[in-house]
Amino acid sequence: MKKIAAFNWKMKPTSLDEAQKTIKAHKKWAKKYPGVQVITAPPTPFIKGLIRDPNPVSLSGQNISVYLDGAHTGNSSAAMLREIGCTYTIVGHSERRAMFNVTSEIVSKKAVMALEQGLTPIICFGESTRDEKGRYIDEITDQLLESLAGIPDKHISKIVLAYEPIWAIGAGAKRAVTTDELFSTIILIKNILNKRYGPARTNKIPILYGGSVKAHNAEELAAVNGVDGFLVGGASHIEDHFKAIIKSLS
Ligand code: PGA
């Protein structure tokens, strides 16, 4: 399994010109490290105008509707993203869970829709706080199982998981997880999946880590056993960071 570097641009940049520069640089470093699968998720309005041939990067949406089409103002469907060249889509990002009341049940529906339309869903989940009483363990367990609930067992290994603790995400985050925290959480996630889907299927599901992955910590986080790649936010726009992140996974 190739390690995955997935870049979530969020709602940046504001110009197509800048977006083109970013995608060009993502392509450049993806070419340099062909052993790493680079997935890039620009803002939807830019995707079509970015590049004719995304190779060797794969294009991803940042979100999809639970519906295929219809009266859903402001939404984009999995089929539409597929039509403009995407092969992946992020679903259940914590920012969307928080800002748009996206529940795990809705995330599961989006994941099913993505799979039905030929997109690989990158399903995000993660605790809001890491309390000392271990309540975060229940939060992760519930969120993960509910977000996967609608996916038929036989398709479960077609997804990508992104463990993103909310407290570690974005500009306001104080720090990323430590390698110990990450390792124990990956074991927890694998145990949950093993119990529900069995080891043969579980072993095929890539588990990414996301939250304050930067040039300075990519190497040590990439070395944590069980980490199959990263989902990167802010550093997606800064070449010194994303080249180091891609390299750390090579
Ligand atoms: P960050 O965001 O890398 O800026 O912490 C990660 C994410 O939101 O996916």
Side-chain angles (χ1 to χ4, degrees):
M1 201 196 281
K2 273 190 184 185
K3 296 232 172 155
I4 296 172
F7 295 107
N8 171 17
W9 300 29
K10 308 197 179 185
M11 204 170 72
K12 284 184 196 165
T14 48
S15 78
L16 181 58
D17 196 43
E18 267 181 276
Q20 269 158 344
K21 283 184 193 136
T22 301
I23 196 103
K24 222 174 132 198
H26 285 184
K27 282 180 74 169
K28 178 173 117 191
W29 293 104
K31 259 185 210 137
K32 196 140 180 125
Y33 295 103
V36 182
Q37 180 168 13
V38 177
I39 301 167
T40 195
T44 312
F46 286 160
I47 293 177
K48 185 96 173 116
L50 276 179
I51 27 172
R52 219 169 277 143
D53 176 16
N55 250 326
V57 302
S58 304
L59 289 171
S60 172
Q62 297 179 8
N63 173 48
I64 52 164
S65 167
V66 287
Y67 304 105
L68 193 56
D69 58 15
H72 307 289
T73 303
N75 277 347
S76 305
S77 74
M80 292 166 186
L81 288 177
R82 177 93 199 137
E83 192 69 19
I84 56 170
C86 292
T87 47
Y88 289 82
T89 186
I90 297 168
V91 293
H93 190 281
S94 62
E95 285 157 12
R96 295 204 64 90
R97 285 183 189 257
M99 288 184 244
F100 300 94
N101 285 329
V102 176
T103 61
S104 292
E105 194 189 342
I106 296 173
V107 174
S108 159
K109 286 187 182 155
K110 291 184 184 214
V112 170
M113 176 57 82
L115 287 166
E116 281 173 1
Q117 295 305 312
L119 297 179
T120 300
I122 301 172
I123 303 170
C124 304
F125 65 101
E127 79 275 12
S128 45
T129 49
R130 192 164 270 248
D131 59 298
E132 277 165 17
K133 294 207 172 97
R135 267 185 231 115
Y136 73 94
I137 292 178
D138 292 336
E139 198 182 347
I140 289 175
T141 308
D142 293 348
Q143 221 184 84
L144 179 56
L145 289 175
E146 283 165 23
S147 300
L148 305 183
I151 304 171
D153 286 19
K154 63 173 191 242
H155 294 318
I156 202 68
S157 32
K158 295 183 184 162
I159 65 165
V160 173
L161 288 176
Y163 166 60
E164 297 208 307
I166 296 168
W167 53 267
I169 293 178
K174 285 196 187 79
R175 61 173 182 93
V177 284
T178 63
T179 51
D180 283 351
E181 285 166 341
L182 184 53
F183 182 55
S184 59
T185 312
I186 299 272
I187 290 175
L188 168 70
I189 294 164
K190 284 194 184 283
N191 274 338
I192 298 166
L193 296 172
N194 265 328
K195 228 190 259 168
R196 172 63 186 80
Y197 300 102
R201 286 187 170 133
T202 296
N203 289 341
K204 289 192 197 134
I205 304 174
I207 302 174
L208 314 185
Y209 166 71
S212 300
V213 180
K214 311 274 180 216
H216 72 88
N217 61 7
E219 196 95 13
E220 62 172 17
L221 292 170
V224 172
N225 220 335
V227 171
D228 298 308
F230 296 128
L231 178 56
V232 178
S236 307
H237 298 279
I238 306 164
E239 189 159 2
D240 281 348
H241 285 286
F242 62 72
K243 78 174 179 206
I245 290 167
I246 295 171
K247 182 168 175 251
S248 76
L249 296 164
S250 67

